[in-house]
Amino acid sequence: MSNEFANAARPALENAQLRANLRGATHAIRERRARVTAELPDWEELREAGRRIKDAATRHLDVHLEQVERTVTAAGGRVHWAPDAAAANRIVGELIEATGEREVVKVKSLATDEIGLNRALAERGIRALETDLAELIVQLAGDSSSHILVPAIHRNRGEIRELFRANLPGTERLTDEPQQLAEAARRHLRNQFLKAKVAVSGANFAVAETGSVCVVESEGNGRMCLTLPELLITVMGIEKVLPRFADLAVMLSLLPRSSTAERMNPYTSLWTGVTPGDGPREFHLVLLDAGRSATLADPVGRVALHCIRCSACLNVCPVYERTGGHAYESTYPGPIGAILTPQLSGLRAGASLPWASSLCGACYEVCPVKIDIPSVLVHLRGRVNREVAGFGGGGEGAAMGLLARAFARRSRYERAQRLGRALARPLARDGWIARALPGPLGAWGTVRDLPAPPEQSFREWWRGRRS
Ligand code: SF4
């Protein structure tokens, strides 16, 4: 395994302010989530229903996707298939260029972050303006998102006030009161909404049966994007498809309680194709694969595609709480990122992420669709070892064979113990072997203290005492 995550996490671990911001925010959300989920006597049944729906949806994804194409087209929309990020960026760029517009509004979309759409549009001379408050903060700071739901979770109110004062005209007297910050962003965005001709959105769900697309958000800015412009382009990962409209009822009960700890989402927008005189005149749905089909081929890892991006697993993860999202170097941080990124981007790109976990299981306990993240982490560790590091066959197999032989007979075990002691004791300093292990074991020792082996084992001491 590489040390990429451990190295990327170091600056965050040394930043006390960042750790305090993360701890405050994640603890507040996780406590609220626990309260609102406890209100429902059938919460566990709802989770099981969510799991079954997502399982059925991914098992027959090919059928549901073809149905989406038919139903969206029948409702007046157009469906585009994007096998990878480059294709999705090209499709969106060409659609916008055809309108002659040089500026588009965007409603929060992880899929467009994943494919680097803003950068690709900038290369075509098109400016994408983020309209979600947290995304706007990240964009103004030239920063990157560090949380699925609260992309600016690493910034506190004082930092946001300074950012607004520096970037938004007329905000010199702004305080760090949340209402004032929200009002400043609202005034800045309102004009953009009114003049925008093109919007780009993500999607939380699409329904195969009806061709409806669904976006949930908290500020209402998303709804402005979805209704005011003339052209709406939605970029959606293929795993977001649900078979039936009734499935939405389960998902819309699970998602708000797990994400923002609300009983109901403040703004849930649903649209089906285009409707003359109401909303955008043109609608395009870009179905993004970008590693999802390959993920489906792994019978253990494919459950990562069940994720509904609620972020509950981030808020309870002891690793995320200390490192924040940037250390994951991916659009998807936290426990879900640790299993999704290596599968979507290729094992080599996210090879260290399956180790970014203590395997405590807190993520599994809160996941609204019951994704067994710890089991997938262990599975991916095995895959990285075999497919990237080349372990598992020759070297590792031989080492395990030797260990098995040593443990099989007491005499051999005791000889191995004596040999281990003779080799390890010279490495000890003040009773500990810390950061001094040779070769590949050195990385193991950078974050762990290994006590020096005692001069004699318990058995030796016992034998000596009896004799
Ligand atoms: S893995 Fe589960 S808990 Fe984590 S973001 Fe996805 S749905 Fe939410």
Side-chain angles (χ1 to χ4, degrees):
M1 135 197 181
S2 74
N3 271 331
E4 277 162 38
F5 177 80
N7 293 336
R10 203 152 286 136
L13 293 172
E14 288 164 2
N15 185 337
Q17 177 66 60
L18 175 73
R19 288 210 319 274
N21 295 353
L22 285 166
R23 184 181 158 76
T26 54
H27 279 243
I29 305 176
R30 81 160 82 153
E31 279 153 25
R32 283 207 311 271
R33 188 210 75 91
R35 270 201 305 278
V36 296
T37 54
E39 288 173 356
L40 290 186
D42 60 350
W43 178 249
E44 287 308 314
E45 286 82 356
L46 256 180
R47 287 180 74 212
E48 179 57 21
R51 187 195 68 76
R52 284 177 188 223
I53 289 169
K54 291 300 285 187
D55 189 50
T58 41
R59 266 176 203 279
H60 305 288
L61 193 56
D62 52 341
V63 176
H64 303 314
L65 284 169
E66 284 177 6
Q67 195 180 6
V68 162
E69 183 173 35
R70 284 196 300 276
T71 48
V72 168
T73 309
R78 204 177 140 203
V79 171
H80 307 257
W81 298 86
D84 53 28
N89 286 332
R90 182 178 40 73
I91 293 165
V92 177
E94 286 174 2
L95 285 169
I96 299 170
E97 272 177 350
T99 67
E101 292 295 316
R102 294 283 119 200
E103 210 167 71
V104 299
V105 285
K106 264 184 77 199
V107 50
K108 191 166 107 177
S109 161
L110 287 167
T112 59
D113 280 355
E114 180 190 325
I115 61 176
L117 179 67
N118 289 10
R119 213 174 32 251
L121 290 182
E123 282 164 15
R124 289 174 183 261
I126 297 166
R127 180 168 167 253
L129 180 78
E130 298 291 349
T131 65
D132 174 86
L133 175 56
E135 289 280 357
L136 175 68
I137 292 165
V138 167
Q139 190 174 43
L140 289 178
D143 209 349
S144 61
S145 162
S146 65
H147 190 277
I148 291 177
L149 192 74
V150 198
I153 195 169
H154 53 289
R155 298 208 172 258
N156 62 24
R157 283 191 271 153
E159 291 173 297
I160 295 167
R161 178 197 59 208
E162 292 313 312
L163 202 58
F164 280 8
R165 280 184 179 175
N167 289 281
L168 307 186
T171 55
E172 295 77 16
R173 291 164 180 249
L174 196 64
T175 72
D176 62 4
E177 283 301 307
Q179 293 87 340
Q180 281 210 21
L181 296 174
E183 180 60 23
R186 202 162 73 95
R187 274 202 305 272
H188 169 70
L189 291 171
R190 189 54 59 108
N191 284 339
Q192 307 291 337
F193 288 132
L194 292 175
K195 63 182 190 199
K197 296 272 186 294
V198 181
V200 178
S201 88
N204 291 89
F205 307 103
V207 180
E209 177 176 77
T210 59
S212 310
V213 182
C214 176
V215 164
V216 298
E217 37 107 24
S218 299
E219 296 159 11
N221 292 342
R223 182 161 293 175
M224 298 268 207
C225 284
L226 300 170
T227 52
L228 289 175
E230 291 165 14
L231 167 66
L232 172 61
I233 305 165
T234 298
V235 181
M236 185 185 85
I238 54 173
E239 79 281 17
K240 298 289 181 73
V241 176
L242 299 174
R244 300 166 313 144
F245 197 79
D247 298 333
L248 266 182
V250 174
M251 294 303 164
L252 294 179
S253 300
L254 289 168
L255 184 54
R257 285 177 195 263
S258 303
S259 56
T260 47
E262 288 164 306
R263 295 181 185 97
M264 200 179 157
N265 211 72
Y267 292 89
T268 301
S269 301
L270 272 164
W271 69 99
T272 308
V274 289
T275 306
D278 182 11
R281 280 183 237 147
E282 225 180 294
F283 169 56
H284 295 261
L285 177 62
V286 181
L287 293 172
L288 176 71
D289 187 314
R292 286 150 175 88
S293 296
T295 304
L296 265 180
D298 181 334
V300 178
R302 68 164 69 128
V303 290
L305 298 178
H306 294 182
C307 175
I308 57 172
R309 312 280 190 266
C310 71
S311 77
C313 57
L314 279 66
N315 300 329
V316 296
C317 177
V319 175
Y320 177 86
E321 182 186 321
R322 283 156 184 85
T323 65
H326 289 148
Y328 294 79
E329 297 181 325
S330 160
T331 303
Y332 306 105
I336 181 59
I339 61 170
L340 197 55
T341 306
Q343 298 195 86
L344 293 186
S345 315
L347 282 183
R348 201 166 285 283
S352 63
L353 292 179
W355 280 267
S357 167
S358 62
L359 299 181
C360 67
C363 47
Y364 184 23
E365 280 174 25
V366 296
C367 179
V369 286
K370 294 173 92 170
I371 299 175
D372 184 355
I373 295 175
S375 294
V376 182
L377 285 167
V378 173
H379 166 73
L380 290 176
R381 287 179 187 189
R383 278 192 58 195
V384 170
N385 277 338
R386 285 189 302 277
E387 298 170 32
V388 180
F391 294 160
E396 194 188 23
M400 289 297 159
L402 278 175
L403 275 176
R405 280 174 60 80
F407 276 88
R409 291 259 291 274
R410 195 179 84 182
S411 56
R412 274 194 218 132
Y413 173 72
E414 288 183 347
R415 272 206 302 279
Q417 239 181 356
R418 282 197 292 278
L419 178 65
R421 210 160 51 216
L423 293 174
R425 280 187 67 78
L427 298 174
R429 303 275 176 282
D430 301 325
W432 293 91
I433 302 172
R435 302 171 188 216
L437 294 169
L441 296 175
W444 189 89
T446 56
V447 287
R448 295 172 184 88
D449 291 328
L450 181 68
E455 278 176 36
Q456 58 178 181
S457 69
F458 175 77
R459 285 170 191 229
E460 288 163 347
W461 171 81
W462 184 255
R463 273 199 295 266
R465 189 170 168 270
R466 287 177 73 193
S467 66

